[in-house]
Amino acid sequence: MKDTHTLLILLLLLVYLAGSAFTTDGGSGSTNGPLELTIVGPDFVKVGVPRSFDCAAQCSPSCSYRMSIYGQIWQGNKLLFTARQWEESLNLTCTARNDDSGRSSTVSKILQVLAGPTNVSITGPALMTPGAPQRFQCNADCRPSCNYTWKIKGRWLGGQGNEIIVTPEELATSVTLNCKAINSVSGFYAMATRKIPVTSGPSEVHIIGPESVAVGFKSMFQCIAKCTPACDYHWTIDGHTVHGSEMEMTVEQHVKPEKIMCHAQNTISTHFEVVTKTVRVEGTTEIS
């Protein structure tokens, strides 16, 4: 009888212990978690670009989730977020609450905010001279920072930073520069292109006008040349100087053939060329 009583007590104790193993925090049934709460998603966001984040935890029987950023709260374990302006960083939090026990846990994720590159531009001289080195700079709006690469003569050059020194070749008429600004964290990039003219000329200088002139009649002559950016012109005739690319001439009496000279001079490099034209004089003028 005593052994039967002892066995009954042992059976009741086992039932009690088994029941307590499946009940937590005063609830009924099997309840665990939230455990291993994590936020799944990128470590950075870019201004103006949507990013998605998920919150996950081990919960039994289930958990409810709440996510917050910028002081705003969203229900659920998924968040599609777009940063509207640049800030040093953002704090994204997720709270998971066990639907049965009421137990909760919170995790945070610090997000780096990226911006740019935008407003990429190349600054430097508006005109270049053959053989003369010139410095150019590339700038862009980037957060936290940007790296820069340059393209010239069809090749991308590394290690230049945001500055490059360019020396045009003697026969070059222009130099085309490309700058790529690359966000140092995201790898996003934007480009700028600039074509810089190179001083050249004067070349192909010649005089347009008649081969012969009549006494007492006006004749028009024009001097033209290929010049970058431009050329100044002046004429020399019979010891006199006339400025401008056009000249009007009137021969008052019969003389030997006239020699007219045009001087074309580059306004920047000061290089010049001289061309001469011989004009025959025909006819006489009657004096009353």
Side-chain angles (χ1 to χ4, degrees), residues 6-280:
T6 302
L7 181 60
L8 180 61
I9 293 174
L10 289 173
L11 288 174
L12 290 174
L13 180 59
L14 288 173
V15 170
Y16 172 78
L17 291 175
S20 62
F22 289 95
T23 306
T24 306
D25 295 338
S28 59
S30 175
T31 59
N32 289 287
L35 301 174
E36 299 183 16
L37 178 61
T38 57
I39 297 175
V40 180
D43 294 328
F44 62 84
V45 293
K46 187 176 186 293
V47 174
V49 178
R51 289 286 189 171
S52 61
F53 299 89
D54 292 331
C55 193
Q58 292 184 7
C59 284
S60 178
S62 62
C63 271
S64 298
Y65 296 88
R66 182 178 72 245
M67 302 181 74
S68 66
I69 193 170
Y70 267 145
Q72 301 179 24
I73 298 175
W74 289 265
Q75 300 297 327
N77 69 327
K78 294 184 180 296
L79 173 64
L80 183 64
F81 171 72
T82 303
R84 299 301 179 187
Q85 62 185 24
W86 185 83
E87 296 187 28
E88 192 73 32
S89 62
L90 294 173
N91 186 22
L92 172 64
T93 65
C94 173
T95 299
R97 182 180 182 277
N98 191 296
D99 294 329
D100 192 14
S101 67
R103 181 182 297 161
S104 64
S105 179
T106 299
V107 67
S108 295
K109 185 179 182 71
I110 302 299
L111 303 177
Q112 189 175 13
V113 183
L114 311 180
T118 56
N119 301 322
V120 186
S121 63
I122 299 172
T123 58
L127 187 67
M128 303 183 71
T129 302
Q134 297 284 358
R135 186 184 302 272
F136 293 86
Q137 190 175 70
C138 188
N139 296 288
D141 294 335
C142 286
R143 299 297 183 115
S145 64
C146 263
N147 299 321
Y148 298 88
T149 59
W150 295 86
K151 184 180 182 182
I152 184 170
K153 297 180 183 178
R155 293 191 307 115
W156 286 102
L157 306 176
Q160 304 292 321
N162 74 324
E163 287 191 347
I164 191 171
I165 296 177
V166 181
T167 303
E169 297 175 352
E170 289 297 329
L171 298 180
T173 57
S174 65
V175 172
T176 300
L177 291 176
N178 293 281
C179 171
K180 182 189 291 185
I182 309 166
N183 191 291
S184 58
V185 176
S186 68
F188 292 124
Y189 69 88
M191 291 179 53
T193 300
R194 184 174 169 191
K195 187 175 182 178
I196 306 99
V198 178
T199 60
S200 62
S203 62
E204 301 182 25
V205 185
H206 59 277
I207 298 172
I208 299 175
E211 300 298 322
S212 62
V213 296
V215 175
F217 289 90
K218 294 179 180 179
S219 299
M220 183 68 69
F221 296 87
Q222 184 181 29
C223 189
I224 61 174
K226 287 187 176 180
C227 287
T228 302
C231 267
D232 286 331
Y233 300 89
H234 72 268
W235 303 80
T236 301
I237 178 171
D238 196 23
H240 301 289
T241 299
V242 178
H243 293 279
S245 62
E246 293 184 346
M247 179 189 68
E248 187 180 81
M249 182 178 72
T250 302
V251 178
E252 298 296 341
Q253 60 183 357
H254 184 74
V255 293
K256 295 185 297 181
E258 289 277 11
K259 280 190 176 182
I260 57 178
M261 293 173 41
C262 170
H263 300 248
Q265 185 173 43
N266 192 293
T267 56
I268 299 297
S269 68
T270 70
H271 293 162
F272 69 92
E273 293 288 340
V274 179
V275 65
T276 302
K277 184 179 180 70
T278 301
V279 181
R280 299 191 307 273

